[in-house]
Amino acid sequence: EAGVTQSPTHLIKTRGQQATLRCSPISGHTSVYWYQQALGLGLQFLLWYDEGEERNRGNFPPRFSGRQFPNYSSELNVNALELEDSALYLCASSYSGTSGYEQYFGPGTRLTVT
Amino acid sequence: AQSVTQLDSQVPVFEEAPVELRCNYSSSVSVYLFWYVQYPNQGLQLLLKYLSGSTLVESINGFEAEFNKSQTSFHLRKPSVHISDTAEYFCAVSTHTGFQKLVFGTGTRLLVSP
């Protein structure tokens, strides 16, 4: 069974540009989560999508957005990039957004903003 | 709101020695508890989880953790570590109700030397 996949592996952008990160969940999983792992800030919850809808978001500005497609894959968009957006962005998936279901993580996309 | 404290940012240990990585949590409601491991330049892998039942949970590679409700702890232990255990370990919690947002600790880097 294929795990969670993310693309690209690395992404280098300049300040003010937009970045698009992609995630494919494990087959059968309907929930996708995005986390940011920034140096010194640890792992922070960003967004949760389930059945094509945004269900919840963490304490991030609106320029962080995304969507979930009918095949449950997901896209994270970061607009007007700032230097502090440089981080590892991790996607996770689970069978359901209900508590207790394991989240399986992808390898991440490392975003560097210069 | 929930929070997780991992007091040790780094734990150096010699190969074949025992190790304990500490995790304490704070929550006004019942929680599920997880330990994830992150090897260099990789995503997170679920090491073990406590959902209910026996308070002692074990992983397939020799780690174990014990849920202690009175002390609000979920410490991770291994009786004999290997060089390959060198990684960053994250403790996380999610609540029993609502959606499964994982709240992570800041991580503990386990450094195993020969």
Side-chain angles (χ1 to χ4, degrees), chain A residues 6 36 43 47 67-68 73 80 91 95 97 103-105 108 113:
Chain A
Q6 292 186 246
Q36 182 197 64
L43 279 150
L47 288 160
R67 53 181 170 165
Q68 187 177 35
S73 66
C91 171
Y95 278 111
Q103 292 185 24
Y104 294 83
F105 284 79
V113 183

Side-chain angles (χ1 to χ4, degrees), chain A:
Chain A
E1 180 185 274
V4 177
T5 59
Q6 292 186 246
S7 63
T9 305
H10 294 92
L11 191 57
I12 300 174
K13 294 285 186 178
T14 57
R15 191 177 170 187
Q17 285 187 317
Q18 179 196 44
T20 299
L21 289 64
R22 296 179 178 82
C23 171
S24 291
I26 290 172
S27 178
H29 287 189
T30 62
S31 276
V32 170
Y33 312 81
W34 288 94
Y35 293 85
Q36 182 197 64
Q37 187 176 23
L39 206 59
L41 295 177
L43 279 150
Q44 304 289 329
F45 166 74
L46 243 173
L47 288 160
W48 169 42
Y49 291 94
D50 185 62
E51 297 286 357
E53 300 284 333
E54 180 182 307
R55 302 295 184 181
N56 209 301
R57 66 183 295 129
N59 189 25
F60 283 84
R63 56 191 188 81
F64 285 85
S65 66
R67 53 181 170 165
Q68 187 177 35
F69 300 98
N71 66 354
Y72 303 111
S73 66
S74 177
E75 200 173 82
L76 173 69
N77 295 295
V78 188
N79 295 317
L81 284 165
E82 300 179 3
L83 296 178
E84 53 264 33
D85 296 333
S86 294
L88 181 67
Y89 288 84
L90 293 167
C91 171
S93 71
S94 71
Y95 278 111
S96 166
T98 306
S99 290
Y101 285 93
E102 295 176 27
Q103 292 185 24
Y104 294 83
F105 284 79
T109 292
R110 185 162 297 281
L111 173 63
T112 303
V113 183
T114 61

